[in-house]
Amino acid sequence: MKIMKKVLAIAVFGIIGFGAYAQGLQKNFVASCDCYEIKNHFDNGQVSTTFFENKKGQKDGQETVFYQNGNIQYQRTWKNNKLDGSGNHYFRDGNVYFTEQYDNGKKTGVWKYYDDQGDLKQEIAYSGLNSDGTYKYYHASSLYLEQTITQGQIANQIIHNQVIYDALLEEFEQNRNITTK
């Protein structure tokens, strides 16, 4: 009986999820790129997503996703169904959250993460091998920690600002102790 309830719940959520996505979906051929532009809409009719597909049904070109307030949530580029090129993600207010770079589906280049005030929080220089790269951490735009990740493990670590590092570590420990009580 429990298994049947789980199967039914998955089926219902799948139908609801598909219905929410399919509502307002438009697919139009664009002769200039010999591709299809796909648009989805929120219930109020406002565009929620736009992207392009080639004739094979693969994402190919610019993808833009919007918040319900009309601001862009993110923009990125696809090539033959793989992320390729630069992209930007935004907070609801329009400020940049992070920038990204892909090469044929692999994370590459320098990614930058910002807080909602526009201060740099993290910078990652990806090597193109999974999550390997150099990670730099900032507090109030001051570099305090740098780590090199190789094969998913910390290979090197440099503390650039011991005072900031210690203060953030202490704050982390205090918050961890509060949540485990």
Side-chain angles (χ1 to χ4, degrees):
M1 188 66 162
K2 286 183 179 182
I3 293 173
M4 185 63 159
K5 285 183 181 179
K6 286 182 183 179
V7 169
L8 181 60
I10 290 170
V12 168
F13 286 124
I15 291 168
I16 291 170
F18 178 75
Y21 179 78
Q23 187 172 6
L25 191 65
Q26 296 175 335
K27 184 175 183 176
N28 296 308
F29 182 75
V30 180
S32 62
C33 65
D34 197 31
C35 64
Y36 293 93
E37 180 181 27
I38 313 297
K39 285 186 179 182
N40 200 4
H41 298 80
F42 292 111
D43 288 339
N44 66 4
Q46 180 179 312
V47 174
S48 63
T49 307
T50 64
F51 61 91
F52 295 88
E53 285 184 352
N54 59 27
K55 288 185 175 180
K56 295 178 185 175
Q58 300 171 325
K59 284 186 177 180
D60 201 30
Q62 178 95 18
E63 173 188 33
T64 305
V65 175
F66 298 90
Y67 288 109
Q68 283 190 331
N69 68 7
N71 288 346
I72 295 172
Q73 184 176 356
Y74 61 85
Q75 287 183 308
R76 55 193 184 180
T77 306
W78 294 81
K79 187 174 181 180
N80 296 320
N81 224 32
K82 292 182 180 178
L83 287 167
D84 194 72
S86 61
N88 293 308
H89 295 247
Y90 301 91
F91 289 104
R92 285 186 184 278
D93 65 5
N95 288 333
V96 175
Y97 173 41
F98 70 93
T99 61
E100 64 183 16
Q101 182 73 35
Y102 284 93
D103 183 14
N104 198 31
K106 293 183 172 112
K107 292 178 179 180
T108 187
V110 178
W111 291 37
K112 294 183 178 185
Y113 293 81
Y114 301 89
D115 65 18
D116 57 359
Q117 301 301 308
D119 290 330
L120 183 63
K121 298 301 287 180
Q122 186 179 28
E123 199 174 52
I124 305 171
Y126 284 108
S127 68
L129 300 171
N130 301 317
S131 294
D132 288 0
T134 302
Y135 291 63
K136 294 180 179 180
Y137 300 90
Y138 298 83
H139 180 72
S141 296
S142 294
L143 176 65
Y144 71 90
L145 178 64
E146 183 175 343
Q147 295 175 324
T148 302
I149 307 297
T150 305
Q151 296 178 347
Q153 302 293 320
I154 297 173
N156 188 33
Q157 178 169 295
I158 301 168
I159 298 172
H160 291 280
N161 188 319
Q162 191 70 51
V163 173
I164 293 174
Y165 178 81
D166 289 343
L168 292 173
L169 187 59
E170 182 179 336
E171 181 180 327
F172 170 77
E173 290 295 330
Q174 288 173 352
N175 288 336
R176 187 171 70 171
N177 289 337
I178 290 170
T179 58
T180 57
K181 287 183 180 179

